Each structure stands twice: as structure tokens, then as C-alpha cells.
Amino acid sequence: MNMMAEKERMLDDQWKKWGPYVSNRQWGTVREDYSTNGNAWDYTNYHGAISRAYRWNEDGIAGICDSKQRLCFAFSFWNRRDQIIKERFFGLSNHEGNHGEDIKEIFYYLDNTPTHSYMKMVYKYPINEFPYEQLVNENAARTKKEGEFELTDTGIFENNAYFDIFIEYAKINHDDFLIRVTAVNRSSTKAPLVILPTVWYRNNWTWGYGAYEPQLKSSFNGVIDIDHNTICMKKFYARDTSAETLFCNNETNSEKIFGTPSEAKFFKDGINNYLIHGTEDAVNPEKSGTKASFFIDAELEPGESRSFDFRLSPHEMDDAFFDFDEIVALRKQEAEDFYADIQCDLADEEEKNIQRQAFAGLLWNKQFYYYNVSKWLKGDPRQEAPRDFSRHVRNTEWEHMQNKDIISMPDKWEYPWFATWDLAFHCVPFALLDPGFAKHQLKLLTKEWYIHPNGQLPAYEWDFSDVNPPVHAWSTFRVFKIDEKANGKPDLPFLESVFQKLLLNFTWWVNRKDKNGNNVFGGGFLGLDNIGAFDRNMEFKNGDHLEQADGTSWMAMFALNMMRISMELALYNPVYEDMAIKFFEHYLYIAEAMENIGGAKGGLWNEEDGFFYDVLQLNDGDSVSLKLRSIVGLIPMFAVEIIDHEILEQLPNFTSRMQWILKNKPELANLVSHWEVEGAGGKHLMSILRKTRLKRVLERMVDEKEFLSDYGIRSMSKIYEDEPYQFTVDGQEFSVKYTPAESDSRMFGGNSNWRGPIWFPINFLIVESLQRFHYYYGDRMQVEFPTNSGEMRNLEYVADNLSSRLCSIFMKDENGERAFNGGNRMMNHDEHFKDYIMFNEYFNGDTGMGIGASHQTGWTATVAKLLKPRVS
């Protein structure tokens, strides 16, 4: 076993210069939107993408590129029945889907290593004509109250009429790729398959900043020459030396897209037009251009499996494949050895399979992300940006943003742009695999070309100014501790550098989101889309405003995270004790504010219901509790910290100041649960939730009639299924109904739903918070679990049980069914589907069926951390 081979490569950044950094979708993004009205979904679309050169990023199937995306490689396929080659995965735009944008393809990420020395995925490509129109029309005909019409619903996979296309990459060196595509005809009839391994340059010459245009050329079949003045890759080889080469240019077909003729020739859609329409002059007979493919025209017998090999290399050689099989086998074995070490404490093969595919999805969802906001707003010398600044134009306050980095994406098709709070969750499972990359990601978002000069972290490209929960500090400390355990020493420069920037972010929150300076926070959206009775970004006409239980709780958590980081740094540099004191005091003020919002009676805590609610603060000084039970009322649990007494002994200044505050400000001390009472082993608890309140919140949370599902904690109480919550504000009536699956409204685009489904990020924090409470209380705190069951359990048991419920979404049950498959017989029982896992964006609150984005091995990959046994 050579588990060290991959770990040694991880020490050399050169091995990450090339990777799976090509997006699955670039059309329909904000970056490519040069419309006058800001309608990004209409300005570029799926069927236009084959003819339009992108300005910022490229997309493709199983694509790889260098870290600046100068040269790209991906696969295209054609079954000789479709009217367009499959150059990118198909899906519906936001307004085409009855629940927003949605991919309509089936593929699975099977394997990947941190340096991408070995990668594997499988694509299920139909043999018969792909049902593009049927998918569009049927979804358009469905209402928001109906489920989505999926590819499997069309019957396209009946009689196994599809190819399994396995795509593998193995690196000989950091810039030398062996590529194998294996097509398997799963049907009982002979079927044609055209394979187009394609290499191309990102168009960096059209926009008016430079005239240099790299070239691809071919003097004979089986080899494509790569000529670029800043990259080392020089040759693209096919093992089949008779493979024909086809060339065109990565240029927009202006006549097709804009209706204006162009003097240029051989456009981006040239290979497509040559094959589909027989347009002979669509490809360059001189065998040169900026986009090129090998043309592999195959026909597979029933059940036949056939492999095709290629190589991207900096070397010129007579036989590029002399050690191909040996290197692929070696890299595959090294991947096995690497994961054998990572999973050494997992005995169950099912759990290993799920965790490994979660890791694979994390690694495949890395993407080159390029967005210079200033250039995008103003346009280029040779591309106008007809923005109407008298109306809303996105991101005008973010001209300093210059992103040109490899970033972990939530899902490279559904969300091919970074989201800051998603990324914080990605980094926790990433730290188990590659702590260096996790730390880099957390630092990256705090760099001056990302974070706003005022201290705000960017949300996502649709609106960088939107507000997400402040979880960056939490993730930073979690990754710091995971890394310290793995490497045997603390990375203090990392912790300190992120902490310094988060000071700016904390100040931004205090200055911008505490409307009345009373330590009660808003924030509006806060990543929870439609969680409220109304749009929580709403501006009220008469000066009323929303005081948010989650916004304030997130800030209490943020303050505690910053306090804990300060204490850690103070162990090495006593200067940070002052910062720990500052955040301790600020936390106390937030806790006080939650008890009594701005002096008005009631606070965010409702004693009658034993739950936290948002409060509508009226302009006359009165307030109204919005008694809607959702995960908003569970988030106060996350503001919990346990401090070992031995740490306090090492921080005398902090301890002295803390004791003075607790002695001289009893109104604050009383708000902190059990601080002065040491728990087992000399531990101190800091929590918004005193023991009695924690029990009352948990009584709701673990009630199967409310939040507790067989698959985790629902985002909204199930009591609203039969009796929807009603509320009137500004003369408008609002109604909220428990909706366990897709959203039944268009609020925030309608492609996600927080009114019932199970979401991994919130559930992950619930599990972690319960573990922390148990660390303090031990068996001294027991709750009835589930509520009304008569069974009393400690909080560790509850946490472990919730973790098991979450993991069961992906595990086979006694009937061999995986809940996320939603009862789909083929996916659950067919031998070519049953062991493949999709990591959806969220899950049905009653059945566990996967919903939303299908490859969100961003935050849903936290299941990999839940599967890892805890060391007591």
C-alpha cells in the first residue's frame, strides 16, 4: 500500500495547476449577461451556447483546464439521432422549469483525488433522440404545486436504451494527462456513438485587450499540435492514429446569434454544423483553429464495452501510449490507498461508498471562476455593455471585485458561481481530504479583491450585496482544528490572517444590520429564501422593521466564534486577550437584546410557546411576534461555546475581566447559561439557551408532529400542513403552509424551499450544537426523544440519532431502496444505477427524496463528516 504517493503530491502545488476546473454550465450566468434589462437567463441559453463564444468562462462535459483556463479539454457525444451534438449538459432555465432552473441529465461523480491525479465519472447518454422538447413543454405545462418532470419520466431509459460512458483521467505528471473514455452499450440492439474529445482555448483575444491568438494545428491524423506561448502543453494524442481531426474557432457565429453576418469563418458551432447538417465549409480544411476534436465514429454491439484512449502532454513522442495502462492502473491504486487511509475508521462498505462519492463530488465541483466586475459593468473595447444605470444593474457597488481563481462551487450546473456561506460548509469535509485547499478557500474570500472595503463578504454573483449567515468564522476555526489534528501543529498564520479580515466583517454587521443600534439584527434573506411569511428583505412603508431571531442568533454565534479564535491566538500572543474580552462582552449584549428587543416587552423568546420567533418592530414602539415555527427558532442553539478551565488559567487577563463583568453586571451574567458552574472535567458553558429553554426548544424540535422526520430535522413545523400560518402586514395577507418538497411560490426564483424540506447545513449545525451541549452536561441533561415517546436520552444520543437519520437518506434500507431516489425502481435496483449516489440540494421532509440541484456536493457533502466516527 502506498498511501503516501498522493499525500506527497499534495505538498507540490504544481499538481493542482490542472484539474476539473471547467464548469458544467456557463450560459444563463450573470457574467455572460450583456443585456439591457439584466435578464441573464434569456441573454444566453442552452441552444445558443453551442454558437456563442463566452466572455468569462467555458463549460463542457467532464472538462479539465489549467488554473487560468487558457486551454480546455472536454468530451462531446452524438448518438446520430439528436439535432445537436451533446457538447454540454442540458437543463431548463429558471423560467422554463416549474420549480426554477434544473438539469435534465443523469451522471455521477465516482472518484477523484486532491491533486486530480486520478478522476472518474459516468454519464448516462440515451441511445434514442434526447427528449429536449418534451422536457421543456411538459415542465412548462406543470404548476408550482406539481413535481418536476424529469429525464427518467420520459421513458428514455426504457429497455436500457442508453450508453454508460465512463470518463477517466490519470496524470503522469502535473501537466501530462492520460484520458480514457469507455462506452458501454446497455441495450439489446446495435447502436452508433460518435465521440468527440475536444480541445480549445478560452477566447481571450476578441474583447480588445490583446491581439495574440493561440493556435491548434494538425499535420496528420491522431495528433493535434498545441501552440500557446504561456502553457507547456504541446500535444494532444489519440491512440487510434487514424482518428480524423476537425477544426473550427472558438468564435461567436454572429449571424446565428445576432443576425449580423461576419467576415470571420469556422465558428464555435463549426464541428456541430459539419456533423449534424453536413455543412462542409463549417470546419477548416487547413486543419487549424482555436477549437479542435478527434472524430471517433463507433458502433457498439449489444452489451459491448469499448475504450478509447487519449493523451494531453508537453512531450513530443513516437508512442505516447507505451505505458498508458500501467500508469492508469497505478494512479487508480494510489487513489485506493489514499482513501483506505482516509477511511481507515470506517468498516461498513456502504458508508465507504457514500463518503467516497461525496468526496469525489467535492473535488469535481472545483471550478475556474473569472469575473472582473468593473470590466463587466463598463464593457470591453470590442464588446459594449448596454447597461441601463437608471434602472437596477447588478453589483455596481462591487467594482473592486476581480475574481480569477479556482473555487469550490455548490454545483457546477445549478450554481456555477461561488456562494460564500455555502463555501464555509464545503470547507469542513474538504479539510478531511485536503486541509490546505480548505484553508486557501477561506482565506481567498477575505482577500481585498473579494471582501468589500466596508467589510462585507460577497454573497453570490446575482447580488454580491445580498446577506448570508455569518458562518465564515465558524468554518475557519473548525478547519483550523481539523488541520491541527491531521498535521500535529496549529497553522496560526492562517487563523490569524482570516481573523483579521473577519474583524472588518463583524464591524460591517454591527454598523449595517443592527438598525437601531440595540444589538438586534436583521439581514433579510439570510440564505433561507422563502422561510418567512413574507419576503424578509421587504421595506415597510411606515417605518416598521423586522427583528430576526436568526439574524441575531447568527451574530451571537459569530461573536462566540470570534471570541474562541481570539482565545486560541492569545495562547500564543497575549495581545489577543483584549479581542477575546471584546467579543465576550459583545456576545453578552446580543444575548441581552434577544431577551428584550430595544426595551419592548416580549423579546424574541416566546415563553408561552417555548420558542424563538421573528418580531415585527412597529414604529410606535410596540412589537408583534410572528409566531411561525421554523428553523429560524432553532438557530439560537448554534450560539454555544464550551471553554475548558485549563484554557482560562492560561489567559489571566481575559479571565479577570470576564469575572468582573459577571460580578458587576448581573443582568448580563444571568443571560449566560452555567458559565460559573463547571461541567464535567472543568468545562464552562456559554449559551443563549439556559437549560430550561434548551429543553423547551428541543421538545418542539424532536417532536415527530413538528420538526423531527425519519431523515433529519425539517425546516418548518409539520403542524402547518393542515393549518397554515396566516399573517397580515401593510394590508397584504400572507399564508404559509408546510411544503415538504419543492416550493409552491416564486419567491427568490422558486428553485429552493425552506418551508418543510431537510437541509444539510442547518442539520449539520444542529448535530454539532447538540454534541457541544452534551460535552458540557453529559448525562445530567436528558430529553424525551422523540417527544411523547417516554424514552429519556442524553444529547449525545439525540445527536447521533439525527446524524444516522441524515445518513440514511443515502443508505440502502431493508428493501434495497435509497431514500434520495424517491422510489425510482431503476435507480434503486438496476445493477448499473443502484450503487451510485446523487447529493441533492435538499430533501423531502417526509420521504427523504432528493430535490433541487442534483450534484450539490458542496454543503450536502457534510454527510462525509457525519459518517466519520467521532473520537471520544
Side-chain angles (χ1 to χ4, degrees), residues 100 190 278 344 506 519 541 571 584 630 872:
K190 184 186 296 187
C344 62
F506 190 90
N519 292 298
K541 299 174 184 177
L571 295 174
F584 172 71
S630 71
S872 57

PDB file of all heavy atoms in Angstrom, residues 100 190 278 344 506 519 541 571 584 630 872:
ATOM      1  N   GLY A 100     -38.035  26.436 -11.176  1.00  0.00           N
ATOM      2  CA  GLY A 100     -36.775  27.100 -11.449  1.00  0.00           C
ATOM      3  C   GLY A 100     -35.841  26.252 -12.293  1.00  0.00           C
ATOM      4  O   GLY A 100     -36.205  25.201 -12.839  1.00  0.00           O
ATOM      5  N   LYS A 190     -27.730  -3.063 -31.590  1.00  0.00           N
ATOM      6  CA  LYS A 190     -26.529  -2.342 -32.019  1.00  0.00           C
ATOM      7  C   LYS A 190     -26.845  -0.846 -32.072  1.00  0.00           C
ATOM      8  O   LYS A 190     -27.944  -0.442 -32.466  1.00  0.00           O
ATOM      9  CB  LYS A 190     -26.077  -2.840 -33.395  1.00  0.00           C
ATOM     10  CG  LYS A 190     -24.772  -2.219 -33.893  1.00  0.00           C
ATOM     11  CD  LYS A 190     -24.450  -2.644 -35.313  1.00  0.00           C
ATOM     12  CE  LYS A 190     -24.207  -4.138 -35.396  1.00  0.00           C
ATOM     13  NZ  LYS A 190     -23.734  -4.525 -36.774  1.00  0.00           N
ATOM     14  N   GLY A 278     -24.150  18.553 -42.202  1.00  0.00           N
ATOM     15  CA  GLY A 278     -23.328  18.264 -43.374  1.00  0.00           C
ATOM     16  C   GLY A 278     -22.756  19.499 -44.028  1.00  0.00           C
ATOM     17  O   GLY A 278     -22.446  19.488 -45.227  1.00  0.00           O
ATOM     18  N   CYS A 344      -9.945   4.741   7.192  1.00  0.00           N
ATOM     19  CA  CYS A 344      -9.464   3.614   7.995  1.00  0.00           C
ATOM     20  C   CYS A 344     -10.373   3.308   9.192  1.00  0.00           C
ATOM     21  O   CYS A 344     -10.363   2.190   9.704  1.00  0.00           O
ATOM     22  CB  CYS A 344      -8.040   3.874   8.477  1.00  0.00           C
ATOM     23  SG  CYS A 344      -7.877   5.325   9.563  1.00  0.00           S
ATOM     24  N   PHE A 506     -17.249  41.644  10.939  1.00  0.00           N
ATOM     25  CA  PHE A 506     -18.064  41.776  12.150  1.00  0.00           C
ATOM     26  C   PHE A 506     -18.512  43.226  12.324  1.00  0.00           C
ATOM     27  O   PHE A 506     -19.671  43.499  12.643  1.00  0.00           O
ATOM     28  CB  PHE A 506     -17.272  41.310  13.373  1.00  0.00           C
ATOM     29  CG  PHE A 506     -18.103  41.176  14.621  1.00  0.00           C
ATOM     30  CD1 PHE A 506     -18.723  39.976  14.933  1.00  0.00           C
ATOM     31  CD2 PHE A 506     -18.272  42.253  15.487  1.00  0.00           C
ATOM     32  CE1 PHE A 506     -19.495  39.848  16.087  1.00  0.00           C
ATOM     33  CE2 PHE A 506     -19.050  42.137  16.637  1.00  0.00           C
ATOM     34  CZ  PHE A 506     -19.664  40.927  16.929  1.00  0.00           C
ATOM     35  N   ASN A 519     -28.306  45.901  19.216  1.00  0.00           N
ATOM     36  CA  ASN A 519     -27.764  44.543  19.179  1.00  0.00           C
ATOM     37  C   ASN A 519     -28.792  43.485  18.782  1.00  0.00           C
ATOM     38  O   ASN A 519     -28.644  42.304  19.103  1.00  0.00           O
ATOM     39  CB  ASN A 519     -27.129  44.162  20.524  1.00  0.00           C
ATOM     40  CG  ASN A 519     -25.874  44.961  20.788  1.00  0.00           C
ATOM     41  OD1 ASN A 519     -24.904  44.869  20.050  1.00  0.00           O
ATOM     42  ND2 ASN A 519     -25.908  45.784  21.831  1.00  0.00           N
ATOM     43  N   LYS A 541     -43.612  50.451   4.518  1.00  0.00           N
ATOM     44  CA  LYS A 541     -43.920  51.831   4.162  1.00  0.00           C
ATOM     45  C   LYS A 541     -43.876  52.770   5.370  1.00  0.00           C
ATOM     46  O   LYS A 541     -43.476  53.925   5.255  1.00  0.00           O
ATOM     47  CB  LYS A 541     -45.314  51.909   3.519  1.00  0.00           C
ATOM     48  CG  LYS A 541     -45.454  51.096   2.237  1.00  0.00           C
ATOM     49  CD  LYS A 541     -46.893  51.105   1.734  1.00  0.00           C
ATOM     50  CE  LYS A 541     -47.052  50.224   0.515  1.00  0.00           C
ATOM     51  NZ  LYS A 541     -48.477  50.169   0.062  1.00  0.00           N
ATOM     52  N   LEU A 571      -3.278  32.261  23.302  1.00  0.00           N
ATOM     53  CA  LEU A 571      -2.404  31.263  23.905  1.00  0.00           C
ATOM     54  C   LEU A 571      -0.974  31.413  23.400  1.00  0.00           C
ATOM     55  O   LEU A 571      -0.023  30.958  24.041  1.00  0.00           O
ATOM     56  CB  LEU A 571      -2.919  29.851  23.596  1.00  0.00           C
ATOM     57  CG  LEU A 571      -4.283  29.477  24.186  1.00  0.00           C
ATOM     58  CD1 LEU A 571      -4.721  28.104  23.681  1.00  0.00           C
ATOM     59  CD2 LEU A 571      -4.238  29.501  25.709  1.00  0.00           C
ATOM     60  N   PHE A 584     -16.453  38.660  23.969  1.00  0.00           N
ATOM     61  CA  PHE A 584     -17.236  38.149  25.084  1.00  0.00           C
ATOM     62  C   PHE A 584     -18.308  39.161  25.500  1.00  0.00           C
ATOM     63  O   PHE A 584     -19.479  38.814  25.667  1.00  0.00           O
ATOM     64  CB  PHE A 584     -16.311  37.842  26.263  1.00  0.00           C
ATOM     65  CG  PHE A 584     -17.032  37.477  27.533  1.00  0.00           C
ATOM     66  CD1 PHE A 584     -17.696  36.267  27.643  1.00  0.00           C
ATOM     67  CD2 PHE A 584     -17.055  38.349  28.610  1.00  0.00           C
ATOM     68  CE1 PHE A 584     -18.362  35.924  28.815  1.00  0.00           C
ATOM     69  CE2 PHE A 584     -17.721  38.018  29.785  1.00  0.00           C
ATOM     70  CZ  PHE A 584     -18.374  36.803  29.889  1.00  0.00           C
ATOM     71  N   SER A 630     -40.296  27.703  12.658  1.00  0.00           N
ATOM     72  CA  SER A 630     -39.404  27.234  11.598  1.00  0.00           C
ATOM     73  C   SER A 630     -38.013  27.088  12.190  1.00  0.00           C
ATOM     74  O   SER A 630     -37.789  27.365  13.380  1.00  0.00           O
ATOM     75  CB  SER A 630     -39.383  28.234  10.441  1.00  0.00           C
ATOM     76  OG  SER A 630     -38.689  29.410  10.827  1.00  0.00           O
ATOM     77  N   SER A 872     -13.967   9.813  20.990  1.00  0.00           N
ATOM     78  CA  SER A 872     -14.433  10.291  22.299  1.00  0.00           C
ATOM     79  C   SER A 872     -13.263  10.747  23.157  1.00  0.00           C
ATOM     80  O   SER A 872     -12.120  10.407  22.931  1.00  0.00           O
ATOM     81  CB  SER A 872     -15.194   9.188  23.016  1.00  0.00           C
ATOM     82  OG  SER A 872     -14.394   8.038  23.165  1.00  0.00           O
TER      83      SER A 872
END
